[in-house]
C-alpha cells in the first residue's frame, strides 16, 4: 500500500469531518431501520403499552421539526465555540497546537452527536404522514390515521436526552481543554506514548548502525517527511538485495534533489518509483512517527511563556517537567528503530541515527536560552536534569545530561545578577554533588 494511503488512513480520525460524517451516516441508517421495523409491523405492541401514549402526525411533525432546527443550531454554536477556543489557544500557546485542538475527541464527538441527531430527525420527518395523507405503512403498524413511526419517536427522545448530556459535557470540556496544564499534560503523555512505541526496547543501549553509503536517491517534491513506510522499504531492499541508508527522518524538510537515502547493492533508478511510494511528503509536520514534533511543541510553549511579553515562568516550569520525563524515558531506551525484528544487525534498512544527544539538544538544548533568563526556571531546569539522570543506567548519557546543566549555568551567568545569581550557584553546587555521588556509587 502506498505511504500516502497509509498516512491518510492513519490520520483519518484526526480530521474534523470524520466523526460527524460517520455519525450522520449511522443516524440515517438508524432512522431508516426504525421506520422499516414500524412499517413491517414488528413494533405494533407499542400501541398496547398503557403508559406510552401514541403521537399523532401533527405532534410528531412538530417535535421532529423542533429537534432538527435546534440540533443544527446547537451544532453551529458548538463549532463556533470550538473555533474561538482554537484561536485563543493557538494565539497564546503557539500555532502548532492548532492540530491538537482540531484532533480533540471531545470536540469532534460533540459536534458529531448534534449533526447525527439532526440527520436522524430529518430522515424520520420525511416518513411521517398526516391524517389526510395515504399512510405508507402496513395497517398493523399503527391504529391511528396517517402514519407515525412510534419507535422512531422514542429513539428521537432518547437522542434528545443524549444531546443534552453531550452539551453539558461540551460546555465543561472546552474551558478545561484550553487550560495550559491540561494542554501540556496532553502533549506530554502523547510524547511518552510515542517514545515507547518508537523505541520499545528498554534498558539496552546499542549503538546506531553505521550507514553503508552508496548512490543517492533524491526527493522529487518539496515538503516535510510525514511518514516513512519501513515495511515496504524493507521488502524492496530484500527484493533487490541492496542496503538502504536513510538520510532523513520523519519530520525533516526536503526539496527537490536532496538525498532521501543512499542505495548500496542495487541500481537506484530501477527502484525509484517503488521507493517514492514509501515516503509521504506534505506541507506540515504531524506527530506520526515523529516524537521530536511533540518535543518541539513543549519547547515552543516554554519559550513563549518565558518571552518578555508574556513572562510566565510557571508555565515554562510545567513544560520542563514533561521534557524531563520524556528525556529520562528516552535515555533508558535502545534508540534504534526495530525494523527487522531480532535480526537488526543485518537489517538492509539503516534509518538516520536518533542518538540521545539529538533528543537532548532538541529538548533542553532548544529551551535553554529562554530558561537562562529566568531565575526560578533555571533552578527548576537543574533539578529536572538531575532527576532525569537518576534512573539512567548509562554513564555516557548521564554525562551528557551533566554537560547540559553546565551549559545552562554558562548562559545563566550572563543574565542573572545579585541574589538571583547567588541562589542559582547554590543550586548548581547541589547539582554537581548529585552527579558526583551517582558517579562514585
Amino acid at each position: 500500500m502506498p505511504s500516502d494511503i497509509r498516512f491518510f488512513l492513519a490520520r483519518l480520525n484526526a480530521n474534523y469531518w470524520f466523526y460527524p460524517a460517520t455519525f450522520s451516516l449511522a443516524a440515517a441508517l438508524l432512522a431508516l431501520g426504525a421506520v422499516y421495523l414500524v412499517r413491517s409491523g414488528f413494533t405494533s405492541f407499542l400501541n398496547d403499552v398503557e403508559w406510552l401514549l401514541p403521537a399523532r402526525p401533527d405532534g410528531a411533525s412538530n417535535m421532529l421539526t423542533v429537534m432538527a432546527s435546534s440540533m443544527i443550531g446547537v451544532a453551529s454554536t458548538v463549532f463556533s465555540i470550538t473555533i474561538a477556543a482554537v484561536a485563543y489557544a493557538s494565539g497564546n500557546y503557539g500555532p502548532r497546537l492548532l492540530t491538537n485542538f482540531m484532533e480533540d475527541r471531545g470536540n469532534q464527538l460533540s459536534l458529531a452527536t448534534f449533526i447525527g441527531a439532526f440527520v436522524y430527525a430529518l430522515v424520520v420527518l420525511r416518513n411521517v404522514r398526516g391524517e389526510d395523507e395515504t399512510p405508507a405503512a402496513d395497517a398493523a403498524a399503527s391504529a391511528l390515521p396517517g402514519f407515525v413511526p412510534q419507535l422512531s419517536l422514542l429513539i428521537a427522545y432518547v437522542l434528545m436526552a443524549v444531546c443534552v448530556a453531550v452539551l453539558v459535557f461540551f460546555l465543561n470540556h472546552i474551558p478545561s481543554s484550553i487550560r495550559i496544564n491540561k494542554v501540556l499534560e496532553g502533549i506530554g503523555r502523547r510524547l511518552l506514548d510515542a517514545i515507547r512505541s518508537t523505541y520499545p526496547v528498554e534498558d539496552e543501549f546499542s549503538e546506531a548502525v553505521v550507514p553503508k553509503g552508496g548512490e543517492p536517491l533524491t526527493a522529487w517534491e518539496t515538503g516535510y517527511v510525514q511518514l516513512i513506510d519501513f515495511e515496504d522499504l524493507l521488502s524492496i531492499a530484500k527484493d533487490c538485495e541492496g542496503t538502504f541508508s536513510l538520510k532523513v527522518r520523519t519530520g525533516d524538510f526536503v526539496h527537490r534533489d536532496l538525498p532521501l537515502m543512499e542505495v548500496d547493492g542495487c541500481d537506484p533508478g530501477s527502484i525509484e518509483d517503488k521507493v517514492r511510494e514509501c515516503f509521504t511528503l506534505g506541507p506540515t509536520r504531524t506527530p506520526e512517527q515523529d516524537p521530536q514534533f511533540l518535543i518541539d511543541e513543549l519547547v515552543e510553549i516554554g519559550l513563549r511563556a518565558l518571552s518578555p511579553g508574556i513572562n510566565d515562568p510557571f508555565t515554562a516550569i510545567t513544560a520542563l517537567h514533561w521534557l524531563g520525563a520524556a528525556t529520562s524515558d528516552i535515555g533508558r531506551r535502545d534508540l534504534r528503530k526495530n525494523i527487522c525484528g531480532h535480526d537488526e544487525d543485518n537489517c538492509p534498512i539503516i534509518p538516520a541515527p536518533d542518538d540521545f544527544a539529538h533528543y537532548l539538544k532538541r529538548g533542553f538544548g532548544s529551551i535553554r536560552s529562554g530558561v537562562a533568563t529566568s531565575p526560578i526556571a533555571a533552578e527548576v531546569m537543574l533539578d529536572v536534569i538531575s532527576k532525569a539522570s537518576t534512573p539512567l543506567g548509562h554513564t555516557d548519557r548521564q554525562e551528557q545530561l551533566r554537560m547540559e546543566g553546565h551549559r545552562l549555568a554558562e548562559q545563566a551567568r550572563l543574565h542573572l545578577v545579585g541574589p538571583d545569581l547567588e541562589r542559582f550557584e547554590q543550586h548548581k553546587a547541589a547539582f554537581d554533588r548529585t552527579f558526583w555521588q551517582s558517579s562514585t556509587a
Side-chain angles (χ1 to χ4, degrees):
M1 182 185 297
S3 64
D4 289 341
I5 298 178
R6 289 200 176 192
F7 180 75
F8 173 77
L9 295 176
R11 301 289 296 169
L12 184 62
N13 61 357
N15 292 297
Y16 207 63
W17 54 264
F18 176 73
Y19 283 106
T22 302
F23 276 42
S24 296
L25 179 60
L29 294 176
L30 175 63
L32 293 174
V35 170
Y36 172 78
L37 291 176
V38 174
R39 287 177 172 175
S40 301
F42 291 109
T43 61
S44 58
F45 67 92
L46 293 176
N47 297 321
D48 300 325
V49 179
E50 295 183 359
W51 58 269
L52 185 61
L53 297 177
R56 292 187 175 275
D58 288 344
S61 297
N62 292 335
M63 192 275 285
L64 291 171
T65 300
V66 170
M67 178 179 175
S69 59
S70 61
M71 287 303 100
I72 197 63
V74 172
S76 301
T77 303
V78 165
F79 183 74
S80 300
I81 294 175
T82 301
I83 294 301
V86 166
Y88 168 83
S90 61
N92 285 272
Y93 309 145
R96 268 149 294 282
L97 289 176
L98 176 65
T99 303
N100 300 47
F101 284 92
M102 296 302 289
E103 293 178 3
D104 186 274
R105 291 288 180 272
N107 297 340
Q108 291 181 342
L109 293 176
S110 297
L111 179 63
T113 301
F114 298 127
I115 292 180
F118 167 74
V119 171
Y120 179 87
L122 282 185
V123 174
V124 175
L125 182 61
R126 181 183 179 277
N127 291 274
V128 175
R129 293 292 183 269
E131 297 180 1
D132 57 340
E133 296 180 283
T134 303
D138 188 88
S142 175
L144 298 175
F147 174 62
V148 178
Q150 304 295 337
L151 176 62
S152 301
L153 291 182
L154 283 177
I155 296 175
Y157 278 110
V158 173
L159 285 179
M160 287 291 290
V162 171
C163 288
V164 171
V166 169
L167 180 60
V168 173
F169 160 79
F170 176 78
L171 295 177
N172 174 74
H173 175 72
I174 279 292
S176 174
S177 65
I178 61 176
R179 287 171 43 232
I180 187 59
N181 286 347
K182 189 72 173 179
V183 172
L184 288 168
E185 180 191 7
I187 298 173
R189 295 198 181 281
R190 192 172 183 180
L191 173 58
L192 292 175
D193 291 340
I195 292 169
R196 290 160 187 168
S197 62
T198 305
Y199 309 111
V201 180
E202 192 171 359
D203 296 327
E204 292 186 15
F205 309 101
S206 302
E207 296 296 332
V209 179
V210 179
K212 291 189 176 181
E215 298 183 50
L217 195 154
T218 60
W220 65 101
E221 290 181 357
T222 300
Y224 291 97
V225 180
Q226 294 178 322
L227 188 74
I228 302 175
D229 191 339
F230 289 105
E231 293 181 4
D232 284 357
L233 272 181
L234 178 61
S235 176
I236 296 170
K238 288 182 176 179
D239 290 342
C240 75
E241 299 181 351
T243 301
F244 300 164
S245 301
L246 272 66
K247 306 296 290 183
V248 298
R249 58 175 63 87
T250 310
D252 287 349
F253 186 82
V254 298
H255 53 77
R256 287 185 59 187
D257 297 330
L258 278 184
L260 290 177
M261 65 183 192
E262 294 176 343
V263 181
D264 180 56
C266 61
D267 178 24
S270 63
I271 58 172
E272 184 174 1
D273 293 338
K274 293 181 180 179
V275 167
R276 286 179 174 177
E277 291 183 352
C278 299
F279 289 84
T280 298
L281 303 182
T284 59
R285 293 172 60 190
T286 65
E288 304 297 325
Q289 292 185 347
D290 189 10
Q292 66 187 22
F293 174 74
L294 299 168
I295 293 176
D296 291 346
E297 286 189 332
L298 291 175
V299 170
E300 179 181 12
I301 293 175
L303 289 176
R304 289 172 70 93
L306 291 169
S307 63
I310 298 178
N311 192 22
D312 180 14
F314 295 99
T315 292
I317 288 172
T318 306
L320 285 171
H321 287 154
W322 285 106
L323 273 177
T327 302
S328 182
D329 208 18
I330 292 172
R332 286 179 284 187
R333 296 182 178 275
D334 185 347
L335 298 181
R336 297 182 301 171
K337 291 184 172 67
N338 188 16
I339 299 174
C340 296
H342 299 293
D343 193 24
E344 195 65 31
D345 292 332
N346 298 317
C347 187
I349 303 298
I350 304 176
D354 293 334
D355 56 4
F356 184 67
H358 167 77
Y359 284 111
L360 189 59
K361 178 181 178 182
R362 199 84 186 203
F364 287 133
S366 298
I367 202 173
R368 187 196 325 123
S369 61
V371 171
T373 64
S374 171
I376 185 173
E379 294 170 11
V380 169
M381 182 167 167
L382 284 180
D383 293 339
V384 168
I385 292 176
S386 177
K387 292 176 181 178
S389 68
T390 301
L392 304 188
H394 193 279
T395 55
D396 180 60
R397 293 179 180 180
Q398 286 181 325
E399 177 63 16
Q400 292 181 54
L401 282 168
R402 187 182 73 85
M403 291 304 300
E404 187 59 41
H406 281 280
R407 284 189 284 269
L408 171 64
E410 291 179 11
Q411 285 191 264
R413 290 176 184 130
L414 299 175
H415 298 279
L416 304 182
V417 295
D420 289 336
L421 179 58
E422 181 180 349
R423 190 172 61 181
F424 175 79
E425 292 293 359
Q426 293 174 358
H427 275 77
K428 177 62 168 56
F431 174 85
D432 291 334
R433 285 195 299 270
T434 299
F435 276 88
W436 181 83
Q437 291 170 359
S438 63
S439 63
T440 57

